[in-house]
Amino acid sequence: MKILVTGGAGFIGCNFVHYMLKEHPQDTVVNLDLLTYAGNLESLADVEDAPNYRFVKGDIADMEFVDALFEKERFDVVVNFAAETHVDRSITDPGVFVRSNMMGTQALLDAARKYGVERYHQVSTDEVYGDLPLERKDLFFTEQTPLHTSSPYSASKAGSDLLVLSYYRTFGLPVTISRCSNNYGAYQFPEKMIPLMLTRAFYDQTLPVYGTGENVRDWLHVYDHCSAIDLILQKGRLGEVYNIGGHNEKTNLEVVRVILKAMDKPESLIRFVADRKGHDLRYAIDPKKIETELGWKPKYTFETGIRQTIEWYLEHREWWQHILDGEYSDYFKKMYKL
Ligand code: NAD
Ligand code: TYD
């Protein structure tokens, strides 16, 4: 099988490329990525010469380019990870989110339809459901929860999900969608909470916690996200949405404290800073559908996963130091006014 993975130079995409090359060595993976600030080919250095892997630089929102690539490559399966993904950036610059996330999805759907792919899988997020109240621990996102977005990021992801479902209903395109909770693990760009906190703690820098730190996220190791998508590709029902999560709800403050403790750093590094605009309170996935229908089970607990992730960042300092030394340092100064 020939699989197009878009956004394969980003955090989850590169983990998925590694996962597929290991678990399905008989398949060929083509990685299409624009190499925005978040794309990093250093994350794929170990597979760049593999005979069943190829990288193509390009924009998923460039319809002519996408059409020509599909015509040439005749993909069997498309897994769309490519997106602008950072909520804070979507607050300062929403336009690029609409372009890459919505128009990019449309260009891929059109090409998938024209060239008859066997499966189009959209990698979505639990953020399309909006948020849950902090005090209602009994509430979870199910696949039936109405879409109710808060940020331009989540709105653009919800818009692309609706487009995907419309191509199923209107054109019979064989689609599936997964909506996963917050991921953590190796190769995550250090603007996202976990790698941001641990790379800053490494240098004894202050850790900017938004608001009171009571917001809750439901953390899943990136490996478990990849295994869930693999299972959906194999056994998922067409036209269906599958939520992915492992019941690892933590407040941001709890996560920061776990990181500080594991790195033997003092809690005095924590700084409470101005809250994010429209900050979602709590995310929590009900994964019953994927567990019962497809038999998916996560491999990592938060405790084992976070320990392994911290070790990975400590052992791969060069990978994140290159990013911190690049253009990202300007973004950081502007964002946190440091
Ligand atoms: P990321 O920001 O680390 O990587 C995104 C990748 O997409 C980058 O390599 C970037 O260069 C590429 N890209 C962006 N715009 C592009 C374009 N127009 N054309 C081609 N490539 C483009 O993101 P991530 O955290 O790996 O997330 C991947 C996907 O998973 C996204 O669709 C995101 O919405 C979804 N998701 C992420 C999380 C999470 O916690 N990170 C959770 C659930 C779902
Ligand atoms: P993030 O990693 O940006 O993921 P998302 O917003 O998509 O859930 O943020 C995770 C949580 O951490 C979120 O509640 C915002 C919070 N956060 C901080 O407190 N400080 C920070 O510097 C960042 C980047 C996030």
Side-chain angles (χ1 to χ4, degrees):
M1 246 181 5
K2 195 189 261 190
I3 304 170
L4 173 67
V5 173
T6 69
F11 163 46
I12 307 174
C14 82
N15 277 285
F16 188 72
V17 170
H18 282 122
Y19 175 99
M20 292 302 277
L21 292 177
K22 182 157 176 278
E23 299 296 328
H24 302 285
Q26 72 287 0
D27 292 341
T28 295
V29 173
V30 177
N31 170 13
L32 166 61
D33 197 296
L34 185 58
L35 298 182
T36 67
Y37 79 94
N40 186 352
L41 289 180
E42 284 181 39
S43 310
L44 296 156
D46 55 329
V47 296
E48 67 187 10
D49 295 326
N52 56 341
Y53 168 76
R54 226 156 350 107
F55 173 71
V56 178
K57 183 172 188 294
D59 183 353
I60 58 163
D62 179 342
M63 281 188 162
E64 272 177 40
F65 164 81
V66 168
D67 186 276
L69 184 71
F70 274 66
E71 183 174 26
K72 176 167 159 243
E73 298 281 359
R74 303 286 166 163
F75 301 113
D76 300 299
V77 171
V78 176
V79 184
N80 181 26
F81 291 92
E84 288 292 334
T85 62
H86 192 39
V87 173
D88 292 330
R89 289 183 190 253
S90 82
I91 295 167
T92 47
D93 184 13
V96 67
F97 285 72
V98 174
R99 182 183 149 77
S100 287
N101 301 2
M102 294 191 64
M103 294 167 72
T105 295
Q106 192 221 329
L108 292 171
L109 288 168
D110 279 343
R113 183 175 161 231
K114 183 168 168 190
Y115 296 101
V117 302
E118 285 168 27
R119 176 71 69 85
Y120 176 94
H121 182 76
Q122 180 77 357
V123 180
S124 187
T125 165
D126 62 355
E127 299 192 29
V128 299
Y129 300 121
D131 61 355
L132 297 163
L134 288 176
E135 63 283 3
R136 290 291 308 273
K137 297 273 184 267
D138 56 317
L139 295 181
F140 296 92
F141 297 137
T142 72
E143 289 79 1
Q144 276 72 48
T145 301
L147 305 188
H148 186 80
T149 56
S150 313
S151 70
Y153 163 65
S154 53
S156 67
K157 292 296 289 184
S160 37
D161 281 13
L162 294 176
L163 267 179
V164 172
L165 292 173
S166 79
Y167 275 60
Y168 174 70
R169 169 83 187 246
T170 305
F171 305 117
L173 188 71
V175 306
T176 41
I177 295 178
S178 52
R179 294 183 181 144
C180 192
S181 60
N182 284 61
N183 282 209
Y184 66 97
Y187 300 112
Q188 187 167 27
F189 194 86
E191 67 183 351
K192 301 285 167 62
M193 206 261 273
I194 287 182
L196 175 85
M197 298 301 177
L198 70 89
T199 54
R200 287 184 65 80
F202 180 84
Y203 286 120
D204 298 306
Q205 292 168 328
T206 55
L207 308 189
V209 173
Y210 296 161
T212 60
E214 291 309 311
N215 302 61
V216 170
R217 295 294 181 266
D218 183 359
W219 294 97
L220 190 77
H221 192 279
V222 65
Y223 174 90
D224 289 321
H225 188 182
C226 293
S227 74
I229 294 172
D230 183 20
L231 208 54
I232 294 169
L233 291 178
Q234 292 178 48
K235 303 205 291 191
R237 282 184 295 135
L238 299 183
E240 291 290 316
V241 172
Y242 293 91
N243 283 355
I244 310 172
H247 285 302
N248 289 302
E249 287 178 56
K250 310 267 173 220
T251 67
N252 293 337
L253 209 48
E254 281 173 325
V255 173
V256 169
R257 287 193 173 127
V258 166
I259 293 170
L260 286 172
K261 187 152 185 259
M263 294 177 73
D264 202 18
K265 299 285 183 180
E267 290 197 6
S268 56
L269 290 178
I270 295 173
R271 290 287 180 283
F272 293 98
V273 300
D275 209 353
R276 172 185 279 172
K277 289 193 177 85
H279 197 172
D280 279 336
L281 294 171
R282 170 175 169 253
Y283 301 147
I285 283 273
D286 176 354
K288 222 176 288 132
K289 180 174 175 181
I290 191 166
E291 286 180 353
T292 53
E293 204 179 296
L294 306 186
W296 174 80
K297 275 259 167 298
K299 188 171 116 180
Y300 286 89
T301 61
F302 185 73
E303 288 64 34
T304 54
I306 195 74
R307 213 177 316 120
Q308 184 238 44
T309 302
I310 293 171
E311 276 164 23
W312 186 88
Y313 275 84
L314 295 178
E315 283 163 13
H316 295 80
R317 219 178 112 198
E318 214 174 281
W319 180 87
W320 52 269
Q321 195 61 58
H322 281 174
I323 295 170
L324 295 186
D325 293 342
E327 64 178 273
Y328 170 64
S329 65
D330 296 334
Y331 161 81
F332 195 83
K333 282 183 206 135
K334 225 186 287 165
M335 171 74 198
Y336 295 96
K337 306 203 172 36
L338 292 172

